Amino acid sequence: MSILQLPTGDPCVILIDWHATLVDTHDAMYHAVDDVLPRLDELGLLEHLLAPDQSKTIEDAKLVKYVRDNRALHPRIVAERKISRTDIFEVLFGDNPDAKQRAHGAFDESYRKYVGEVTPLERDTRANLQALRDLDITLGLISNRNREFMNHELAIVDGSGWADLFDAMTCGNDVPHRKPHPDLLLKALDQLGRDAGEHVWYVGDSTTDVIAAKRAGVTAVFYNGAGWDQEWIDKIFPGTVRHPHRPDAVVDHLGELVDLARHMRAQHLRVERSRD
């Protein structure tokens, strides 16, 4: 079944993922992942790789097998640069919080060596974020990345930084559990003094972002910046008992997010006026 529905609530708060939703830091991220995978034995993680029957898709099972056999990502995955480190660790370790915590810790050690240039994923990212603020929407920034890296990247992006665009920021080492747990989203809402609900949207580019949104009880908007076709989107969000979480909306770029938010706000205002 294709994902065609609109969100049920107009956004008062939009929480947004950082890497591969707002900015491009793929080179540093993949360099750090490349450092972690050869250390799977040393980190005691090889035995925690998922078995083929535990993987969500055949493609996930193939990824795990390749990593098991080669201690590296398949060159095609590296070349395409469409999957985040969080999703990589989800594919490799599934619902194993200890294994993922160790993997993220090793990633952070390596990422420190590569953190540097960060560029907007879209040319008009700042303008679109400002357009959301102009709709009287509160913005929060969410990242599995450590705060030391986020503080640096947020300060240098676009030359002058984007700190002025966000009213809250939560990072991977601010909470006990990173995405797909809902801790990061709930902490951001706590900072903002807001409750979870349909009027809070969380926008992210990965399956773990959608899962985190659903577990937090907020509207999940999948940012399809990688350009997946509908068949693949339906595959990674199958809506099964084992993998039930599906996005409430899909946008291909931030301009679509602004249009969607504007449409939902206008619709809400029309409903309010009709009640008067």
Side-chain angles (χ1 to χ4, degrees):
M1 182 176 65
S2 296
I3 301 165
L4 298 174
Q5 68 269 27
L6 292 173
T8 56
D10 66 301
C12 297
V13 175
I14 296 183
L15 308 176
I16 311 180
D17 177 50
W18 181 242
H19 167 73
T21 301
L22 294 180
V23 301
D24 181 359
T25 57
H26 276 103
D27 286 345
M29 188 204 79
Y30 276 92
H31 285 318
V33 171
D34 285 345
D35 284 355
V36 172
L37 296 183
R39 299 178 58 206
L40 291 178
D41 294 279
E42 169 197 337
L43 295 167
L45 292 175
L46 191 64
E47 63 193 73
H48 294 295
L49 293 175
L50 292 185
D53 63 343
Q54 296 175 304
S55 293
K56 180 165 60 175
T57 66
I58 293 173
E59 290 80 7
D60 286 356
K62 289 179 178 178
L63 187 156
V64 177
K65 183 180 186 306
Y66 191 91
V67 169
R68 190 191 307 276
D69 293 344
N70 299 278
R71 310 296 195 272
L73 292 174
H74 192 282
R76 179 180 57 79
I77 292 176
V78 177
E80 289 181 346
R81 277 164 153 63
K82 287 186 174 183
I83 180 171
S84 71
R85 63 95 177 230
T86 301
D87 269 4
I88 289 170
F89 292 159
E90 287 296 313
V91 169
L92 295 179
F93 305 112
D95 194 20
N96 184 331
D98 178 64
K100 288 184 289 189
Q101 188 73 12
R102 275 185 274 169
H104 284 301
F107 175 92
D108 289 338
E109 292 173 13
S110 293
Y111 192 79
R112 190 171 287 112
K113 297 184 298 184
Y114 303 112
V115 63
E117 183 178 355
V118 51
T119 56
L121 197 64
E122 299 177 16
R123 182 176 53 190
D124 53 355
T125 296
R126 184 181 180 91
N128 280 316
L129 291 173
Q130 185 59 56
L132 292 172
R133 292 182 65 88
D134 292 343
L135 291 172
D136 198 27
I137 296 172
T138 299
L139 299 184
L141 189 58
I142 305 292
S143 178
N144 267 354
R145 201 152 289 179
N146 270 13
R147 182 164 286 274
E148 80 172 273
F149 307 139
M150 280 302 303
N151 285 339
H152 172 74
E153 293 177 358
L154 186 61
I156 68 171
V157 64
D158 236 3
S160 57
W162 291 346
D164 59 307
L165 295 171
F166 299 98
D167 299 290
M169 179 175 75
T170 54
C171 306
N173 58 333
D174 292 339
V175 295
H177 304 290
R178 305 182 195 222
K179 297 177 293 184
H181 287 271
D183 298 20
L184 283 164
L185 282 65
L186 296 177
K187 184 175 180 65
L189 291 177
D190 184 61
Q191 290 176 1
L192 295 170
R194 304 293 187 96
D195 295 323
E198 64 181 8
H199 297 290
V200 176
W201 293 8
Y202 177 48
V203 184
D205 68 295
S206 69
T207 57
T208 55
D209 289 314
V210 171
I211 295 168
K214 289 298 186 178
R215 289 178 174 176
V218 304
T219 295
V221 179
F222 180 63
Y223 173 79
N224 187 28
W228 303 118
D229 61 25
Q230 189 62 55
E231 181 181 1
W232 182 253
I233 292 175
D234 289 336
K235 181 177 289 189
I236 61 177
F237 299 114
T240 60
V241 172
R242 188 172 174 185
H243 302 287
H245 302 300
R246 291 165 60 84
D248 299 294
V250 178
V251 297
D252 291 335
H253 52 81
L254 292 181
E256 282 190 357
L257 176 66
V258 174
D259 290 344
L260 181 61
R262 187 177 288 119
H263 169 77
M264 297 304 297
R265 300 225 79 178
Q267 188 176 69
H268 172 74
L269 288 174
R270 284 195 294 272
V271 171
E272 289 296 303
R273 292 191 188 107
S274 69
R275 291 173 178 169
D276 294 340

